[in-house]
Amino acid sequence: MKEKGIKSIIGKMGILLALIVVCVFLAIVTKGQFVTFNNIINILRQTPIVALMAVGMLCVILLGGIDLSAGSMLAFSSCCAGVLMQNFGINNSFILIVACLLVGILCGAFNGILLTKLHLPHPFIATLGMKNVLRGLALLITGATAVAGFPEGVTFTGTATVGVIPFSFILVIIVYIIMHIFLTRTGLGRKIFSFGGNSEAARLAGINTDRVQIFCYAASGFFCAMAGIVYMGRLNSAVPLASLEGDTDAIAACIIGGASFLGGKGNVWGTLVGAMMIAVIRNGCDLMGISSDLQQIVLGAIIIIAVFIDVVRGQMDAKAKRLAVAQNQAE
């Protein structure tokens, strides 16, 4: 029993220990540049966009699904807010933020409808199609140019600080606390895990699986739009080509954080550490003068390793279950 407890702790803390090891390595390699105060604050500024997208992606991955349109939803929802400001003269920050969030929810919900009501065979197909549609719409409505000059209430989300801590990072912590409570303490949260564990069993148990799927994809859209608001705040502009790699970064954060592509497994804190891992690696590569091309290779390799670990872990769990069943039958 004691051995199982130790393994459980290592399993839960493994990604955090890996992040610490990476930080120590980068501190040594960069001769202390990595651990300067300004650089640490910079990492806290870089983390929120991926972290917000990743917590929405986690809801989808817990179902055993995937959302390849995440980066495009960020771009399109923020560009819709930009068009409202530029073409319709709306400069009220509250209206622009709400409009951005509503567009994200609608886009995400439409992904869920494609899967549940139109019965597209796989979320990969549905969200890949939406990825291209939304990116094209973002380019179309903006004329393929960035929209700049947002009011202070929007720029606040990406530039403000509370003391020395970026407001956007504090927002992430609040969101993750809420999502942790939602996924672990509410009926709908438990239904999401049940669906991912066995969707057919969940359906037979009376769970409305269509509603659960639509909700999770709408949540992904909501958090992508929230990330888009932070993006607009940081750059003071809505960019139609924003977050071209956002979906892969969000997926990577979830998988690195311990979520499984098979569904039913994952937690928000592992996902947050995964998002921070991506920010730390990108930051460290910049400090070491590694080109963006090589950075993509590094991140791609990390994703492959994380997925491989997930597959091996799944095989070991399945083997352990078979052994347990065999022992029970023998007894």
Side-chain angles (χ1 to χ4, degrees), residues 25-26 29-30 33 281-291:
F25 171 78
L26 290 174
V29 177
T30 61
Q33 292 181 61
I281 290 171
R282 287 194 187 280
N283 179 271
C285 288
D286 288 339
L287 290 176
M288 291 187 289
I290 296 174
S291 69

Side-chain angles (χ1 to χ4, degrees), residues 256-309:
I256 290 170
S260 172
F261 274 129
L262 299 176
K265 186 173 184 179
N267 68 87
V268 295
W269 302 118
T271 299
L272 178 59
V273 176
M276 294 191 72
M277 177 76 84
I278 291 172
V280 162
I281 290 171
R282 287 194 187 280
N283 179 271
C285 288
D286 288 339
L287 290 176
M288 291 187 289
I290 296 174
S291 69
S292 58
D293 296 337
L294 289 176
Q295 288 185 35
Q296 289 302 106
I297 294 172
V298 171
L299 285 171
I302 289 171
I303 293 171
I304 291 170
I305 292 169
V307 172
F308 175 74
I309 291 171

Side-chain angles (χ1 to χ4, degrees), residues 109-180:
F110 188 70
N111 277 333
I113 290 168
L114 288 175
L115 293 168
T116 58
K117 305 304 181 184
L118 300 184
H119 304 291
L120 266 66
H122 196 279
F124 182 94
I125 297 169
T127 59
L128 180 61
M130 282 294 287
K131 173 189 178 86
N132 292 311
V133 168
L134 294 176
R135 185 69 67 179
L137 286 173
L139 290 165
L140 180 65
I141 65 176
T142 60
T145 58
V147 180
F150 284 93
E152 185 178 351
V154 175
T155 58
F156 175 89
T157 59
T159 59
T161 59
V162 179
V164 296
I165 306 300
F167 169 78
S168 55
F169 189 77
I170 293 173
L171 175 65
V172 165
I173 298 301
I174 293 170
V175 165
Y176 271 67
I177 290 172
I178 293 170
M179 288 303 293
H180 170 74

Side-chain angles (χ1 to χ4, degrees), residues 79 82-83 85-86 138-139 142-150 231 235-242:
C79 285
V83 168
M85 180 189 69
Q86 185 179 68
L139 290 165
T142 60
T145 58
V147 180
F150 284 93
Y231 191 99
L235 300 184
N236 193 21
S237 62
V239 183
L241 292 177

Side-chain angles (χ1 to χ4, degrees), residues 72-119:
S72 295
M73 284 195 290
L74 180 155
F76 179 62
S77 58
S78 59
C79 285
C80 284
V83 168
L84 283 177
M85 180 189 69
Q86 185 179 68
N87 296 359
F88 297 92
I90 297 174
N91 286 298
N92 183 290
S93 297
F94 178 77
I95 293 175
L96 293 176
I97 288 172
V98 169
C100 183
L101 293 174
L102 285 175
V103 170
I105 292 170
L106 289 173
C107 291
F110 188 70
N111 277 333
I113 290 168
L114 288 175
L115 293 168
T116 58
K117 305 304 181 184
L118 300 184
H119 304 291

